[in-house]
Amino acid sequence: MIATPTVAEVTAFKQAVAETAALDDDLAAFYRANEFQSIWTGSDELAQSRRNALLSALSTVEMHGLPADRYDVSGMMARLQAAQTAYDQGAMEVELSRALISYASDVGRGLLNPSAVIDEIKRGRPEFDGAAVLAEFSQSNPVEFLRGLAPQSAEYARLMRAKLQLEAQIAAGGWGDVVASSNTLRPGDTGNAIVQLRNRLIRMGYLPRTMTAEYDGAMQAAVLQFQQKHGLNADGVAGPSTIEQVNVSARDRLESVIVAMERERWLGVDRGERHVWVNQADFTAQIIDNDIVTFETRSVIGALSSDRQSPEFSDVMEFMVINPSWYVPRSIIVNEYLPQLQANAGAVGHLQVIASNGQVVSRNQDFSQYTSSSFPYSMKQPPGPRNALGSVKFMFPNRYNIYLHDTPAQNLFSREVRAFSHGCIRLDDPHDFAYALLAVQTDDPVGYFQSRLRSGQETRVDLQTPVPVHLDYRTAYSNADGSMEYRRDVYGRDARIWSALQREGVEIASVSG
């Protein structure tokens, strides 16, 4: 029989709760609304199930790439056992609630504030209300509630599986010796480097177990598959670029997966049943319907210099412009074109200089009188075959003046690393991209688009159902079948995120990979 607490014990408990919770606004708000009642402490079955569920969840945080030391489960259990007085139990009541809030925030929206780590990530962590978390938890099945705090996307679940698989691979010795060759390895070659390549491909799962010491057809097929899974030019020949990626350790790949899990927590929104996904590290733009890629095209992203890198953010695509004019961004005008105009008023003749009233300005003037801050004009390029935006642009109006568009510079799409723009995303197959978007609102998307293109007139076409668009950056991501793909960290962003996660206590056991 459970003894009924005395008035003095109830008073001491509530006093401890009030004093300890006062240090945190969310805790204070919840316990005021709850009249300082217990949800954790006591020997009743519900309180025990809540404690057990929380302690179990905190004991497995490393599955999510979170640092176990952050939650001090063993210390918390010891303090729970030592809390004999009503006051001490009140303090533990608040400690458990604080641990739940911390865990819910970490696993649900990430350890880091993304925009504070990298300026080009224009995301804050998703909104969070700790008092609401506690209130919902107190009315829910504790195990189910805690399980639902992590992102529920298929991508997150697949990343968790990849993390476990890589950890097992690392514990088993990683992927073996690196391929010690600076030469291109080709079908028919033999030697020690071929054996190293063979062994590494076997341990990565690209090549069935074999004793061959020759670069045979099976190895060529394995190399081809590896190249496809790593965003390399797929030719079945192991050149320096391929060997470099083959030699990336399992540990480094695991770091990429943990970073991708953190990034998935940052996203914080349902991507949308239909959405546009631009993975900058993969140099692709996709239309995805219910987790299935229904359209994909190569893309060019912002150049590697810090002032031209493409930002990361989510928005909603509302319309496209066929036969667009290019309104030159102010930064490009003053940094690139104004110096040319100052040297030669007839320079960049494909662009119009536009006054504030919209009129085209004569080039018969001395542009050297202006500085970057005093230049009073804008500039634009009218529609046409040489237009920098090509024949169509796709708009999701945003403060960063970033959009997806066509380009006349088609030669760039054959490159393996495609980072050349001023920040916007250039598409290799913009017409097909437009047809795919328009197919849900017209029976003849090709005819509809082409008729407006042939007019030569700048034409806005609204999307009847706006489409979420996500500009992201993933060096590790999964396919719907659960297989993993990896890409180079061309902007160095994931390396910086990993360093920040390490400062928060995330670590990997030191094993060669």
Side-chain angles (χ1 to χ4, degrees), residues 149-189:
L149 289 174
Q152 298 301 294
S153 65
E155 176 69 4
Y156 191 80
R158 294 192 290 256
L159 288 170
M160 286 187 70
R161 286 196 294 273
K163 177 179 178 293
L164 291 173
Q165 291 166 355
L166 283 166
E167 287 171 338
Q169 185 71 52
I170 292 170
W175 289 329
D177 294 338
V178 299
V179 182
S181 174
S182 58
N183 299 321
T184 296
L185 305 180
R186 303 178 184 278
D189 287 349

Side-chain angles (χ1 to χ4, degrees), residues 64-65 156 158-164 166 250-265 475-477 484-486 494 498 501:
H64 296 278
Y156 191 80
R158 294 192 290 256
L159 288 170
M160 286 187 70
R161 286 196 294 273
K163 177 179 178 293
L164 291 173
L166 283 166
R251 178 189 175 90
D252 287 343
R253 296 303 188 198
L254 178 55
E255 291 176 5
S256 296
V257 168
I258 293 172
V259 169
M261 293 172 70
E262 176 76 356
R263 284 179 165 281
E264 190 69 11
R265 291 189 284 262
T475 61
Y477 63 95
M484 289 298 299
E485 307 237 353
Y486 297 99
D494 278 12
W498 174 248
L501 288 173

